[in-house]
Amino acid sequence: MPQIANASKWMSRGLELAAQGCGRVEPNPMVGCVIVRGEQIVGEGWHQRFGAPHAEIEALKAAGNAAKGATAYVTLEPCCHQGKTGPCSQALIKAGIERVVVGCSDPNPAVSGKGLAELREAGIDVLENVQRQQAVDLIAPFAKLVTQGLPWVIAKWAMTLDGKLATHTGSSRWISGKASRAVVHKVRGVVDAILVGRGTAEADDPLLTARPAGPRTALRIVLDSSASLSPTSRLVQSASGSSLLIAVTESAPANRCQRLQELGAEVFVLTGEDHPTQMQSLLAELGRRKLTNLLVEGGAKVLGTLLDMRAIDEVHAFIAPKLIGGQSAPSAIGGQGIAVMGEALLLRDPDVNVVDGDIHVHGRVAR
């Protein structure tokens, strides 16, 4: 089939629509659909929340009878299986859609290639891989969850211009400005879980909530091998009203674990003999719970373990124009580290913005 005129234009609109589902549709993927007849949009839609109709169904509903003989631009291969909603491939066929243009195929083994095959068998023209990279990027967290059973790991930190997380005395409030912290709260509002180490929890006494609240309320997680997080910490004190998981090792004293549970926290026992294997057991558990996006806010030890594991997928780094020095002052990422510069993790096409004086670097790790 020849390239359809303006296919990229309509797919870009579909991607724009799909992004509105961020934080609302997980563990499903974000999907957008635009139905075009001639050069006019006759219907459009996106997957608006988990359990709600998929993008194609919303767009077909908007198009009505105008869908017959039209072209549907869908950012992700239409599903062909019965889930919380019916198969979108059959809905497109029933509506009389003449051709379907797809951004990328579905990485879900239950769908991959099967939805497109159904459309072709019904006589519908199919054009694949329009705006493919953008479509793949949009569903990357979903793809990792359905293919690896693991959450998408977003590393976040704020540091001084000389690379420090805190002074040599442990003072860290505040490194970045209010505008940078507002960006972090927006990210918190769309992720499924937020992770910190016990050291960070003790030093900062955070709540790890989004203010103002976003579309999601994240599970708050503290890596605390010995279950020694203070019962008077704000995290524990708020455990009964907002989910808190304390990840401990098998050697954690039973009385401490019981005390945290009595205060409303969930205690999860990590498996493994070292930090990487224990972290892997936690990530696997989050994957089993279908948690799509994990925001890791430190500290250096936790981020270092993830870096050594090559488990970081995305980065939000805030660099404040401040110098504090100190050989013993902690840097952003600890761990064993990279031995050869040529093996350093590289951010692909990072966005670099100045946020009220701070430098915000955001990007995904190149694979």
Side-chain angles (χ1 to χ4, degrees):
M1 182 181 68
Q3 181 75 29
I4 300 172
N6 292 325
S8 292
K9 170 186 172 181
W10 303 126
M11 188 62 69
S12 292
R13 175 57 181 164
L15 291 164
E16 180 183 328
L17 291 168
Q20 296 182 64
C22 181
R24 295 173 170 83
V25 303
E26 292 82 359
N28 282 352
M30 292 178 279
V31 183
C33 178
V34 178
I35 298 176
V36 177
R37 193 178 181 91
E39 285 301 305
Q40 295 294 321
I41 293 177
V42 294
E44 59 182 28
W46 69 95
H47 187 28
Q48 297 184 20
R49 60 179 175 80
F50 181 71
H54 289 184
E56 298 94 320
I57 306 304
E58 294 282 7
L60 288 171
K61 181 180 177 181
N65 293 333
K68 188 172 184 179
T71 298
Y73 296 83
V74 192
T75 59
L76 180 66
E77 174 182 3
C79 66
C80 57
H81 63 293
Q82 180 70 46
K84 285 185 175 292
T85 61
C88 293
S89 55
Q90 291 301 314
L92 291 166
I93 294 167
K94 185 178 179 180
I97 289 291
E98 184 174 293
R99 59 180 60 87
V100 174
V101 181
V102 175
C104 65
S105 59
D106 194 327
N108 185 349
V111 179
S112 187
K114 300 181 182 72
L116 298 181
E118 275 195 8
L119 295 174
R120 288 186 170 112
E121 287 170 8
I124 295 176
D125 290 328
V126 175
L127 177 64
E128 300 180 60
N129 300 325
V130 173
Q131 299 277 59
R132 182 182 182 279
Q133 189 59 59
Q134 293 90 327
V136 167
D137 286 346
L138 185 72
I139 63 160
F142 165 77
K144 186 179 181 184
L145 185 64
V146 296
T147 60
Q148 300 179 43
L150 299 171
W152 183 261
V153 177
I154 306 167
K156 169 266 169 184
W157 66 87
M159 66 183 183
T160 59
L161 192 57
D162 51 344
K164 305 297 184 180
L165 287 180
T167 69
H168 68 90
T169 65
S171 174
S172 62
R173 189 169 290 183
W174 295 99
I175 290 177
S176 57
K178 286 184 179 180
S180 294
R181 298 198 296 275
V183 173
V184 175
H185 280 288
K186 287 183 179 179
V187 177
R188 285 181 178 179
V190 296
V191 298
D192 298 292
I194 303 170
L195 171 66
V196 295
R198 181 183 57 80
T200 298
E202 285 187 348
D204 296 346
D205 196 21
L207 277 172
L208 300 181
T209 54
R211 300 183 295 276
R216 293 187 97 69
T217 300
L219 169 66
R220 302 171 301 160
I221 306 170
V222 181
L223 276 174
D224 183 11
S225 60
S226 60
S228 59
L229 185 63
S230 172
T232 63
S233 70
R234 295 204 297 169
L235 284 166
V236 176
Q237 288 295 304
S238 61
S240 60
S242 185
S243 299
L244 174 66
L245 185 148
I246 310 294
V248 305
T249 60
E250 294 176 347
S251 61
N255 63 324
R256 291 182 185 172
C257 293
Q258 183 179 350
R259 177 60 173 155
L260 290 168
Q261 289 171 321
E262 289 172 349
L263 291 169
E266 176 186 359
V267 173
F268 175 74
V269 181
L270 301 164
T271 58
E273 299 300 319
D274 55 22
H275 292 140
T277 55
Q278 291 166 359
M279 178 67 79
Q280 189 63 32
S281 75
L282 175 60
L283 295 177
E285 174 62 19
L286 300 183
R288 281 190 289 272
R289 298 185 186 199
K290 303 299 182 186
L291 301 185
T292 308
N293 294 287
L294 170 66
L295 176 63
V296 183
E297 297 201 22
K301 185 177 180 181
V302 175
L303 290 170
T305 297
L306 289 166
L307 178 67
D308 290 344
M309 294 168 63
R310 306 298 192 271
I312 296 174
D313 299 299
E314 186 175 347
V315 168
H316 282 277
F318 298 88
I319 307 165
K322 301 175 181 178
L323 301 171
I324 59 173
Q327 257 188 327
S328 61
S331 60
I333 300 179
Q336 182 177 345
I338 303 294
V340 180
M341 186 59 71
E343 297 176 359
L345 269 65
L346 179 69
L347 297 187
R348 172 169 57 86
D349 300 323
D351 292 321
V352 181
N353 297 292
V354 177
V355 183
D356 197 22
D358 296 334
I359 299 171
H360 175 206
V361 180
H362 171 228
R364 292 181 170 186
V365 174
R367 301 298 185 193

